[in-house]
Amino acid sequence: MINITIDGRKVKAAEHSTVLKNLQDQKVEVPTLCFHKDLLPFGACRLCTVEVKTDGKWQLASSCNTPVVPDMEIRTDSKKVKESRKLAAELLYYRYPTTKAVRDIAVRLGVEVEPPSVEGNDCILCGLCVRACHEVVGVSALTFLDRGLDRDVEEPKVDYLAMACIACGSCAFICPTGFVKMEETGGGKRRKIWGKEFKMAACKVCGRYFAPLDQLKWISKTTKTPLKKLMTCPSCK
Ligand code: SF4
Ligand code: FES
């Protein structure tokens, strides 16, 4: 363990942990948009900015991907921190003015927000879907073509590899804006995600469609479990 100081308070921190992890452990509220505790940090939104002092110099840093170092001092409530977070929220809001998740965080950070004419759900390139697919699901059906929110181009740059997708839906669940859409069609017989339709498997006991067939095949292959053993829904197991 190492010693760090958060807003003037001395606390212990695990070596190699991030500033954000320690702030959350100390119940310090920090806005985030591209962070998820089960995924590697990405550092795209800059909403989690804090001031850190290392080697005698204060500087702004995104807390989610900055590791703590011995005797680091951290400020979470300074004028600079507030201004920096507000600026990050403003930039997001100007780019995605109709997207609810962006609007909500902008309001929280003091940005003046107009009522939207329509409700939008833009891809803000937070990278959560890409990281979930790669790090948690392990199939890498999504890749980032242009990283970060500071990109020049307007179009979303997430590339979808339909052949690799198993229709698990993790990307849709984790997407903070509703950009990734998933729907069940044909009375639950099919799942549509990223515009592609997948067959759902029916439970061999109750007949209910309960999981994408490709996902079950993937589990069967990776866990070396016979597919027929996986064809029972959680309620009938
Ligand atoms: S539904 Fe497809 S793209 Fe989305 S996380 Fe699962 S495998 Fe990846
Ligand atoms: S949450 Fe840290 S940069 Fe987005």
Side-chain angles (χ1 to χ4, degrees), residues 32-35 43-48 62 64:
T32 62
L33 202 51
C34 68
F35 171 78
C45 73
R46 306 277 161 192
L47 292 166
C48 66
S62 42
C64 66

Side-chain angles (χ1 to χ4, degrees), residues 7 17 39 50 67 71 79 109 112 160 174 187 196 205 215 217 221:
D7 295 329
S17 59
L39 302 174
V50 293
D71 301 319
K79 192 166 172 253
L109 294 174
E112 263 184 52
Y160 173 65
I174 206 166
K196 183 183 171 188
V205 180
Q215 186 178 4
K217 285 182 185 165
K221 191 172 137 199

Side-chain angles (χ1 to χ4, degrees), residues 1 27 36-37 59 67 99-100 106 116 129 148 166 175 181 186 221:
M1 297 295 269
K27 309 277 181 271
H36 190 285
K37 68 176 176 44
Q59 53 193 352
T99 296
K100 189 173 179 309
C129 61
I166 57 171
C175 177
K181 292 188 184 53
K221 191 172 137 199

Side-chain angles (χ1 to χ4, degrees), residues 130-150:
V130 176
R131 284 174 286 154
C133 186
H134 179 65
E135 294 169 30
V136 180
V137 187
V139 303
S140 300
L142 300 171
T143 44
F144 239 141
L145 297 181
D146 188 11
R147 186 195 146 112
L149 299 176
D150 319 326

Side-chain angles (χ1 to χ4, degrees), residues 47-66:
L47 292 166
C48 66
T49 294
V50 293
E51 272 190 283
V52 294
K53 189 180 182 187
T54 42
D55 302 328
K57 244 178 63 194
W58 283 105
Q59 53 193 352
L60 291 168
S62 42
S63 59
C64 66
N65 60 357
T66 301

Side-chain angles (χ1 to χ4, degrees), residues 179-192:
F179 173 78
V180 184
K181 292 188 184 53
M182 180 172 82
E183 55 175 325
E184 312 287 309
T185 58
K189 285 185 187 164
R190 285 179 297 280
R191 170 174 289 180
K192 192 172 178 188

